[in-house]
Amino acid sequence: MTTPALLPLSGRRIPPLNLGPPSFPHHRATLRLSEKFILLLILSAFITLCFGAFFFLPDSSKHKRFDLGLEDVLIPHVDAGKGAKHSGIFLIHGPDEHRHREEEERLRNKIRADHEKALEEAKEKLKKSREEIRAEIQTEKNKVVQEMKIREKKPLPAVPIPNLIGTHGGDPEDNDLREKREKIKEMMKHAWDNYRIYGWGHNELRPIARKGHSTNIFGTSQMGATIVDALDTLYIMGLHDEFRDGQKWIENNLDFSVNSEVSVFEVNIRFIGGLLAAYYLSGEEIFKIKAVQLAEKLLPAFNTPTGIPWAMVNLKSGVGRNWGWASAGSSILAEFGTLHMEFVHLSYLTGNPIYYKKVMHIRKLLQKMDRPNGLYPNYLNPRTGRWGQYHTSVGGLGDSFYEYLLKAWLMSDKTDHEARKMYDDAVEAIEKHLIRKSRGGLTFIGEWKNGHLEKKMGHLACFAGGMFVLGADGSRMDKAGHYLELGAEIARTCHESYDRTALKLGPESFKFDGAVEAVAVRQAEKYYILRPEVIETYWYLWRFTHDPRYREWGWEAALAIEKYCRVSGGFSGVKDVYSSTPTHDDVQQSFFLAETLNC
């Protein structure tokens, strides 16, 4: 490999460094830097061992530890001819002194032999060729891989699968409802079949270009995110042939031992969540096995000074980091706060408490921290354990943290009172500081930034309407009616954000400034990427109230998606919901199949 004569550095030009290898006796082959590094490690280990012998071996003139058969005890030095000395711990007399010296000499001889062995190994390493060193490195790698495979094949304990309600329902008697249901099922088939043809195995689909698509949240590998994410929808809709196709791909192709950096949060909710849902629905063991394999790959992300996980982790190396844009290297509330449900189930299914302990540690840490105005900021530094920028939202960066607190309580059969208290405290602070009513009478959830309320609501925050309704039962001071009403008001506001566009699809975020209400102002906020949150809130409101308007609003959204987002190769987001002739973004998101069509 040739090196350019000059290398640019901060606007200046410097000559290249000579990185050629030194000459070693008996070794004419050229060594690469990585191999030299290995040799240096061997030599440094040998030197450390030698110095350790000089400076850290117990001195015969001081206290020593020996195994007397029961436990290690501290032996004080006994000076021959002067009898016994008392150390303040216990007394030992002269007759045993000889045995102690023999034990010490044996120990010294063993260490001396270890030194000589290490020296011989280092000499042998220096004599070997590059090819021999490579072969040894590869052998060690293979051993590690085999050990991992053996560990992965270890059978998981058998546990009872909970009885799931509503996954095998019949057709509705009402013809209109039956036709609408079949239409949604046909939309799912259109999305899945085109992904099957043009993007199979890729994470997502570009339906116009008709090829696979991926983003940095999934890393550089083809992990079939759409397949895993869509499994529960396929099963619930009775698309069992498609479900089996997905299962076969997972059995034969889904591999997590790849050199790929992924989002811990996204991989947890889409992959582990998708696999666990498929397991509980079908009982197929492969889904549980794959979920556990992936979870083991995510555990290194928790190796931080505080136990708050990194946002990203390399599945092969276990090295983690945070997003560069996230408030001076902070972790994000909605990401590290949206692991609880999946990790609790992992401990249940495996009998291994480590997953439960990881997420409970996060909860305990959050409980100890001061919260400005009772609000949880969106950023927390995993190194220092301090909040980052004081920015609180129920939309992006914060949303699912609150959802998971409530669902942790529900998942525990309402026995996790700690989670319920945290949820209730958070909702009271949100209602006091973030929820307002506009001049036109629309209730919205703003964002707290740098000490003031920004009157902007994101599409992601629209899920909160359903959350308030879901959490109404069990609320403090018998406020169930209040939270049902609040959920309905949020649903109405989000419906208005859809209804005030040309496409009847909602923008990414919308403002409440002066005469502008529930409308996006900036061009960068006018897009719709097939998100489910508004439709999800309609679903919760209908389930709890059976008010037919919520079904009507959901159907309006479905028709708008069909009319403006459907293309011949699947479904695509649109860049401007206020334009009657929209431009497509050419991405079929995996959550469109997993969530939007599943509501």
Side-chain angles (χ1 to χ4, degrees):
M1 174 174 145
T2 59
T3 307
L6 295 174
L7 301 175
L9 179 66
S10 302
R12 295 179 292 177
R13 299 173 74 81
I14 61 171
L17 296 174
N18 182 6
L19 300 179
S23 297
F24 289 99
H26 313 290
H27 182 28
R28 292 180 296 173
T30 302
L31 293 177
R32 295 187 305 177
L33 283 177
S34 60
E35 293 157 354
K36 288 168 56 184
F37 179 67
I38 292 169
L39 293 178
L40 288 173
L41 281 178
I42 295 169
L43 290 172
S44 64
F46 169 68
I47 293 168
T48 302
L49 194 59
C50 292
F51 275 88
F54 284 116
F55 295 108
F56 297 104
L57 275 179
D59 192 336
S60 61
S61 64
K62 297 179 182 177
H63 301 310
K64 302 174 281 288
R65 278 189 187 273
F66 298 104
D67 184 6
L68 298 185
L70 297 175
E71 59 183 349
D72 285 345
V73 293
L74 192 62
I75 307 296
H77 170 67
V78 179
D79 192 350
K82 292 187 179 179
K85 284 189 177 180
H86 194 270
S87 69
I89 302 176
F90 61 87
L91 199 64
I92 189 163
H93 297 278
D96 290 328
E97 180 69 10
H98 179 68
R99 185 170 66 84
H100 300 150
R101 286 179 178 174
E102 287 181 346
E103 182 68 21
E104 181 182 280
E105 184 62 25
R106 186 191 65 77
L107 187 60
R108 286 183 181 278
N109 290 336
K110 182 180 184 304
I111 292 174
R112 189 178 298 113
D114 290 342
H115 291 173
E116 293 173 357
K117 181 180 178 182
L119 180 60
E120 288 301 317
E121 289 179 353
K123 288 179 179 178
E124 290 300 318
K125 289 289 183 185
L126 294 177
K127 293 178 183 178
K128 292 181 179 180
S129 67
R130 175 173 58 184
E131 288 72 22
E132 289 174 316
I133 293 174
R134 281 178 175 172
E136 288 188 2
I137 293 171
Q138 189 60 48
T139 299
E140 291 303 316
K141 285 183 178 179
N142 291 339
K143 285 182 180 178
V144 172
V145 170
Q146 288 301 318
E147 288 172 0
M148 291 177 65
K149 286 182 177 179
I150 291 171
R151 190 164 61 247
E152 288 174 355
K153 290 180 180 179
K154 183 179 179 181
L156 296 170
V159 295
I161 299 179
N163 182 30
L164 300 178
I165 301 173
T167 59
H168 302 285
D171 290 331
E173 295 181 1
D174 186 284
N175 287 333
D176 181 57
L177 291 178
R178 189 160 54 247
E179 289 175 5
K180 289 175 178 176
R181 174 188 277 197
E182 287 303 312
K183 179 58 186 174
I184 300 300
K185 187 174 179 179
E186 186 276 330
M187 292 170 69
M188 178 67 183
K189 278 276 293 175
H190 180 69
W192 175 265
D193 289 347
N194 278 283
Y195 168 77
R196 183 73 174 81
I197 296 169
Y198 303 116
W200 192 242
H202 289 268
N203 290 314
E204 292 175 322
L205 172 68
R206 294 185 62 186
I208 297 174
R210 298 189 177 188
K211 63 181 183 179
H213 169 76
S214 191
T215 65
N216 62 342
I217 61 175
F218 302 122
T220 56
S221 299
Q222 296 181 20
M223 295 172 62
T226 294
I227 298 173
V228 180
D229 217 1
L231 285 172
D232 56 345
T233 305
L234 293 171
Y235 193 93
I236 291 170
M237 288 185 174
L239 298 172
H240 295 300
D241 289 341
E242 291 80 357
F243 180 89
R244 282 188 287 271
D245 285 344
Q247 179 178 339
K248 288 177 184 177
W249 186 91
I250 288 169
E251 288 175 343
N252 298 326
N253 302 101
L254 187 56
D255 179 19
F256 302 121
S257 57
V258 291
N259 185 17
S260 188
E261 188 181 52
V262 301
S263 163
V264 175
F265 160 71
E266 295 288 357
V267 165
N268 176 65
I269 63 171
R270 302 196 199 202
F271 282 83
I272 294 181
L275 290 165
L276 292 179
Y279 170 67
Y280 281 127
L281 287 166
S282 69
E284 295 291 342
E285 196 77 6
I286 184 62
F287 300 127
K288 179 172 69 171
I289 292 170
K290 291 291 184 181
V292 174
Q293 289 176 1
L294 177 55
E296 288 183 353
K297 297 288 187 178
L298 298 186
L299 286 177
F302 292 82
N303 295 336
T304 67
T306 60
I308 297 295
W310 299 114
M312 309 284 287
V313 70
N314 187 294
L315 294 177
K316 188 171 187 178
S317 69
V319 175
R321 69 177 178 92
N322 276 342
W323 303 106
W325 50 264
S327 187
S330 291
S331 298
I332 297 169
L333 182 68
E335 296 191 343
F336 66 77
T338 309
L339 304 168
H340 188 95
M341 290 199 297
E342 290 84 358
F343 274 48
V344 168
H345 274 280
L346 286 167
S347 283
Y348 169 72
L349 292 173
T350 64
N352 187 347
I354 189 170
Y355 307 106
Y356 175 79
K357 288 180 179 179
K358 293 294 185 185
V359 291
M360 288 305 295
H361 175 79
I362 294 173
R363 182 190 289 185
K364 298 298 183 186
L365 188 147
L366 290 175
Q367 285 181 313
K368 294 176 182 178
M369 297 186 68
D370 292 331
R371 298 186 298 277
N373 297 319
L375 299 169
Y376 288 92
N378 291 336
Y379 301 106
L380 179 60
N381 192 301
R383 292 187 178 90
T384 66
R386 297 191 180 96
W387 297 118
Q389 177 188 355
Y390 280 6
H391 172 208
T392 297
S393 71
V394 183
L397 307 179
D399 48 5
S400 48
F401 165 70
Y402 307 101
E403 173 191 2
Y404 268 46
L405 287 177
L406 175 61
K407 289 182 177 177
W409 174 69
L410 292 169
M411 190 175 72
S412 71
D413 198 19
K414 302 181 180 180
T415 61
D416 188 350
H417 303 298
E418 186 177 69
R420 180 73 210 207
K421 181 181 184 304
M422 291 177 70
Y423 170 79
D424 287 333
D425 289 345
V427 168
E428 286 179 3
I430 289 167
E431 193 167 7
K432 181 177 180 180
H433 297 286
L434 303 185
I435 296 180
R436 296 289 184 271
K437 193 177 286 286
S438 72
R439 293 179 182 177
L442 295 177
T443 300
F444 67 93
I445 309 173
E447 298 186 8
W448 190 265
K449 281 188 177 181
N450 301 319
H452 74 277
L453 183 68
E454 184 176 7
K455 297 180 179 179
K456 180 178 77 172
M457 184 172 177
H459 192 289
L460 288 165
C462 284
F463 92 97
M467 180 181 74
F468 292 142
V469 171
L470 183 62
D473 181 32
S475 57
R476 290 174 179 167
M477 298 178 290
D478 196 25
K479 295 176 70 174
H482 167 74
Y483 286 114
L484 281 170
E485 183 179 348
L486 179 59
E489 291 177 359
I490 296 296
R492 174 173 169 255
T493 297
C494 294
H495 177 258
E496 286 298 313
S497 77
Y498 273 52
D499 202 45
R500 297 180 185 190
T501 71
L503 306 185
K504 305 303 179 185
L505 292 170
E508 182 68 5
S509 62
F510 40 95
K511 291 202 169 186
F512 296 85
D513 286 340
V516 177
E517 294 193 358
V519 173
V521 176
R522 297 172 54 225
Q523 185 62 40
E525 297 172 340
K526 294 181 178 180
Y527 61 89
Y528 173 71
I529 57 171
L530 307 173
R531 289 201 186 277
E533 291 78 21
V534 173
I535 300 173
E536 179 184 356
T537 276
Y538 296 161
W539 183 87
Y540 276 110
L541 264 295
W542 182 82
R543 293 289 295 183
F544 279 90
T545 69
H546 285 275
D547 187 329
R549 86 174 77 177
Y550 300 114
R551 267 188 165 171
E552 293 168 8
W553 289 355
W555 184 242
E556 287 174 7
L559 291 178
I561 292 170
E562 170 75 4
K563 183 175 182 179
Y564 296 108
C565 298
R566 182 169 182 148
V567 295
S568 60
F571 288 87
S572 167
V574 293
K575 295 181 178 180
D576 187 348
V577 294
Y578 299 96
S579 171
S580 57
T581 55
T583 302
H584 292 101
D585 65 12
D586 196 19
V587 178
Q588 180 175 283
Q589 306 277 352
S590 78
F591 57 68
F592 175 66
L593 291 79
E595 300 179 60
T596 309
L597 293 176
N598 201 356
C599 290

